[in-house]
Amino acid sequence: MTDAQETAADLRTTTGGGPPDDVEKAPIPLLEPREGIPPVVADEDALARVVAAFAAGTGPVAVDAERASGYRYGQRAYLVQLRREGAGSALIDPVGCPDLSALGEALSGTEWILHAATQDLPCLREIGMVPTSLFDTELAGRLAGFPRVGLGAMVESVLGYALEKGHSAVDWSTRPLPEPWLRYAALDVELLVDLRDALEKELDRQGKLEWARQEFDAIAAAPPAPPRKDPWRRTSGMHKVRRRRQMAVVRELWESRDRIAQRRDVSPGKVLGDAAIVEAALALPANVHALSALPGYGQRMGRRQLEQWMAAVDRAKALPENELPQPGASPAGPPPPRSWADKDPAAAARLAAARTAVSALAEGLNLPQENLITPDTVRRLCWEPPQRLEPEAVAQALAGHGARPWQIEQVTPVLVRALAASA
């Protein structure tokens, strides 16, 4: 970063992500690739050269991945971008090179810089790339109090460059990838190291650097998320479905759709929309003709498709009562807060007081409430508080719910006061 950019970064971070209103805004230069667009690595020989180059590089490595969400089944990576001092930038095609474990091993012990790490880590893990330490520039921006933490907004606010826009939601499974898309992808890692360094300096200035390190360590150490139980219950519009027989129709249609989407490698929403699933569940159509009259099953749907969806509805209608799904199945933990006032008014009072206290503290620290302490942790504490409302007991309860040491240190005093006041 130049001295001018460093000064601009200091100005922007201390004024909430932008220059004061009375400062004339200079045109923001569009970021250009320093070495041009690198060739896409799609075979083992080219990959071996990249592994060697990045193993010989120095400093942290910037990493990004592009998926085909909304187009393909699952969340696999269709392009991996990297940049490291001494190695330059690389674009790797995981379709041609599905196993990047050698690259992951070559970068073991190196700090990885990602933006919104939790979004990319699952797909990177699938191809053998797992960081041992990381720096998340999006999370760093949240902790530093930036109002906008998208990569483009952060690069513009902190470093004074504009990133190209418009390709984030394209179908990255397309082959060959168009040159404008590759340019966009290469630029995503072009300044991640510079952004990381500027954010580290700002976090240190605010006294939050240790907080960020604890958050980054927690992300790096987190195990893969377990499969969701009853994922069909997350169908959009499910709140309209009240009867168990109707819930069975949602389940049968959702599972049929998922099998078809997986076999065809397309997004489930392209096979059958959530709204159409709910419509069929509510209507319980008697035959294909009745099904075809429902929204989502119109003229563009062929007879064969209609018959397969009707077969799923019929399977649900034929289930015996003891095989129908139970209503109200919810994850372990407290009930929805909207029901607390009826079920446990004292818990509702504790939650209201705790939320107010956490909100005020987060505002004073200039960071989002959910980064100060997760809402779920607050709910669990308020639903089942420790018998003794003392700092040690509350801190122990927070730790048991997964709060980091810095979070416990910050929120314990205000939560103790809030819980005591509402008792």
Side-chain angles (χ1 to χ4, degrees):
M1 194 188 328
T2 65
D3 291 342
Q5 289 170 331
E6 201 161 331
T7 302
D10 290 340
L11 171 64
R12 292 182 184 97
T13 51
T14 54
T15 58
D21 292 336
D22 58 349
V23 174
E24 184 178 349
K25 298 179 181 179
I28 299 174
L30 189 66
L31 184 62
E32 299 286 346
R34 280 174 262 192
E35 300 100 16
I37 304 172
V40 177
V41 173
D43 62 68
E44 293 304 317
D45 289 342
L47 178 61
R49 291 192 292 272
V50 166
V51 171
F54 275 78
T58 58
V61 58
V63 183
D64 190 25
E66 305 294 348
R67 299 176 298 279
S69 304
Y71 297 93
R72 296 289 183 175
Y73 185 86
Q75 293 295 316
R76 67 171 292 185
Y78 282 95
L79 189 69
V80 175
Q81 309 100 281
L82 305 100
R83 184 173 180 84
R84 192 181 192 191
E85 185 69 29
S89 295
L91 302 177
I92 303 175
D93 179 4
V95 177
C97 301
D99 182 6
L100 299 187
S101 55
L103 179 58
E105 292 168 7
L107 296 172
S108 179
T110 299
E111 181 188 82
W112 294 23
I113 308 169
L114 301 104
H115 193 82
T118 54
Q119 294 182 20
D120 287 340
L121 288 179
C123 70
L124 290 170
R125 184 180 285 111
E126 286 182 359
I127 53 179
M129 296 186 65
V130 183
T132 52
S133 67
L134 62 85
F135 190 106
D136 185 334
T137 49
E138 185 205 44
L139 182 51
R142 291 181 183 277
L143 294 175
F146 281 80
R148 296 188 302 145
V149 293
L151 181 58
M154 293 290 290
V155 167
E156 182 176 322
S157 177
V158 177
L159 302 178
Y161 283 105
L163 288 180
E164 290 189 4
K165 302 176 182 178
H167 302 304
S168 60
V170 298
D171 181 3
W172 288 94
S173 68
T174 301
R175 292 296 182 273
L177 285 165
E179 183 174 321
W181 299 11
L182 295 175
R183 177 189 179 86
Y184 166 91
L187 289 173
D188 271 359
V189 292
E190 186 83 11
L191 288 180
L192 269 185
V193 175
D194 301 87
L195 182 60
R196 174 234 179 272
D197 291 345
L199 288 172
E200 181 180 61
K201 182 183 295 185
E202 178 60 19
L203 287 168
D204 190 37
R205 187 189 69 80
Q206 294 186 23
K208 298 176 180 176
L209 185 56
E210 176 57 28
W211 303 0
R213 286 173 176 156
Q214 290 182 26
E215 293 299 304
F216 302 157
D217 289 345
I219 294 173
R228 288 189 185 277
K229 183 181 179 182
D230 293 343
W232 57 270
R233 292 184 184 272
R234 295 176 61 84
T235 303
S236 180
M238 189 69 192
H239 62 282
K240 303 175 186 176
V241 181
R242 303 292 187 183
R243 293 157 48 194
R244 293 176 63 200
R245 185 70 60 185
Q246 294 173 329
M247 294 170 64
V249 172
V250 173
R251 181 175 65 186
E252 286 292 334
L253 285 170
W254 190 98
E255 291 178 350
S256 296
R257 178 184 72 173
D258 196 65
R259 287 192 295 270
I260 295 168
Q262 188 170 14
R263 185 178 71 246
R264 290 169 49 190
D265 189 19
V266 297
S267 169
K270 289 188 175 297
V271 176
L272 186 69
D274 280 10
I277 290 177
V278 171
E279 288 287 347
L282 296 176
L284 294 175
N287 50 46
V288 168
H289 178 72
L291 180 67
S292 67
L294 297 176
Y297 302 90
Q299 297 178 346
R300 290 186 296 175
M301 187 171 288
R303 178 79 183 185
R304 183 178 175 184
Q305 289 176 293
L306 285 168
E307 287 176 348
Q308 72 183 4
W309 301 131
M310 191 65 224
V313 173
D314 287 340
R315 286 194 299 272
K317 291 165 70 174
L319 286 174
E321 286 289 326
N322 63 349
E323 293 183 20
L324 295 177
Q326 294 295 327
S330 59
R338 62 179 177 272
S339 67
W340 285 28
D342 293 328
K343 293 184 176 182
D344 189 339
R350 287 193 295 268
L351 182 61
R355 283 175 164 173
T356 300
V358 169
S359 176
L361 179 60
E363 185 175 352
L365 294 172
N366 191 29
L367 50 78
Q369 293 182 47
E370 63 270 18
N371 293 116
L372 175 59
I373 192 76
T374 67
D376 181 66
T377 297
V378 176
R379 285 194 295 268
R380 289 173 185 269
L381 177 71
C382 293
W383 186 251
E384 294 184 357
Q387 291 184 344
R388 296 176 296 106
L389 295 179
E390 299 173 355
E392 295 78 5
V394 171
Q396 186 175 2
L398 291 172
H401 295 314
R404 259 73 72 191
W406 77 269
Q407 295 175 316
I408 295 171
E409 180 183 1
Q410 292 297 320
V411 303
T412 295
V414 299
L415 287 176
V416 168
R417 290 194 294 271
L419 295 176
S422 62

